[in-house]
Amino acid sequence: MKSKILALATTAVLACSAANAAIVSNGSFEEDPGVLGKNGNTFASMPGASGGASWDIWTGGLPGWTVTGGVGLELQTANTIPLTPYDGDYYLELDSDDNSAMEQVVTLASPGRYELSFAFSPRVDSPTTNAVNFGIGGLFFDTVNGPSAEYPLGAWSLVTYEFTVGAAGDYTLFFDATSISDSFGGFVDNVQISAVPVPAAGGLLMLALAGLGAAKRRKKA
């Protein structure tokens, strides 16, 4: 009996761990592209610099992310606007010299509910230039824009979107600037996808742990 309860608890723990495994690669843009930016800055030098040395554009994309529109992907740091990154030392502006777009293939390993989340901040005080499209090909599409009460200027707001996956497989996650192409666009940071836990799984784990505790108490008695 004890071995069966322990196996049940182990299975539940592994299921929870799998649900929390990272799905998005380089979601906070903290991985060094290994080449100079368009303006000649190195990735590592930007967080300690100011002005034009605190940001740059990578025309060949970033680790995990492919450029699908515009001249490249622009990374900024705390001294650029200034705006403190939501996570780490870098964040992305989705309008470099022009409107930019990016994507990456993500593996959604099992059917069920998932959640996409990312931090968003508008660049300027006009909703005509900050809009960002986002989605997963074949599953959903949406747009975030600001400034507004929900997405104020000069601050990060967390965007969350739940969606259903009917079949496990590889899907294309994408982001693109969608308003005026004027080198001012919405900021994005800390992109994540996570499986939404099935409530029964938590109850199963609690039941298994409770049963294990009961078995131990019986043994002591």
Side-chain angles (χ1 to χ4, degrees):
M1 177 65 180
K2 180 179 178 180
S3 61
K4 290 182 179 180
I5 294 172
L6 183 57
L8 187 60
T10 301
T11 300
V13 169
L14 290 175
C16 292
S17 298
N20 292 326
I23 295 173
V24 177
S25 174
N26 194 25
S28 290
F29 315 107
E30 301 297 308
E31 295 183 25
D32 192 337
V35 295
L36 294 178
K38 182 172 178 284
N39 299 330
N41 296 319
T42 66
F43 179 83
S45 68
M46 296 194 308
S50 60
S54 69
W55 63 275
D56 215 323
I57 299 168
W58 273 266
T59 57
L62 297 167
W65 298 97
T66 300
V67 179
T68 57
V71 69
L73 302 179
E74 180 175 325
L75 292 181
Q76 299 186 13
T77 60
N79 297 324
T80 305
I81 299 301
L83 175 68
T84 301
Y86 185 88
D87 180 57
D89 294 321
Y90 308 86
Y91 58 88
L92 184 85
E93 180 176 9
L94 273 169
D95 187 339
S96 47
D97 289 343
D98 53 7
N99 276 347
S100 52
M102 65 181 186
E103 67 179 29
Q104 75 167 259
V105 175
V106 295
T107 299
L108 304 177
S110 61
R113 295 288 292 172
Y114 288 80
E115 180 184 84
L116 168 67
S117 67
F118 62 93
F120 170 78
S121 181
R123 168 72 188 264
V124 296
D125 192 15
S126 171
T128 61
T129 191
N130 298 309
V132 171
N133 289 338
F134 65 94
I136 295 179
L139 296 180
F140 73 91
F141 170 91
D142 208 340
T143 302
V144 62
N145 198 5
S148 64
E150 187 174 9
Y151 305 114
L153 186 68
W156 291 104
S157 302
L158 191 63
V159 180
T160 60
Y161 193 105
E162 281 199 20
F163 59 99
T164 299
V165 174
D170 292 337
Y171 294 85
T172 301
L173 167 68
F174 63 86
F175 290 84
D176 59 84
T178 186
S179 45
I180 298 173
S181 183
D182 57 359
S183 80
F184 298 103
F187 298 134
V188 172
D189 200 2
N190 198 39
V191 181
Q192 298 184 41
I193 294 176
S194 57
V196 177
V198 178
L204 181 64
L205 176 59
M206 292 179 65
L207 179 62
L209 293 176
L212 183 58
K216 287 183 176 179
R217 287 193 296 272
R218 285 196 299 271
K219 183 179 179 181
K220 287 182 180 179

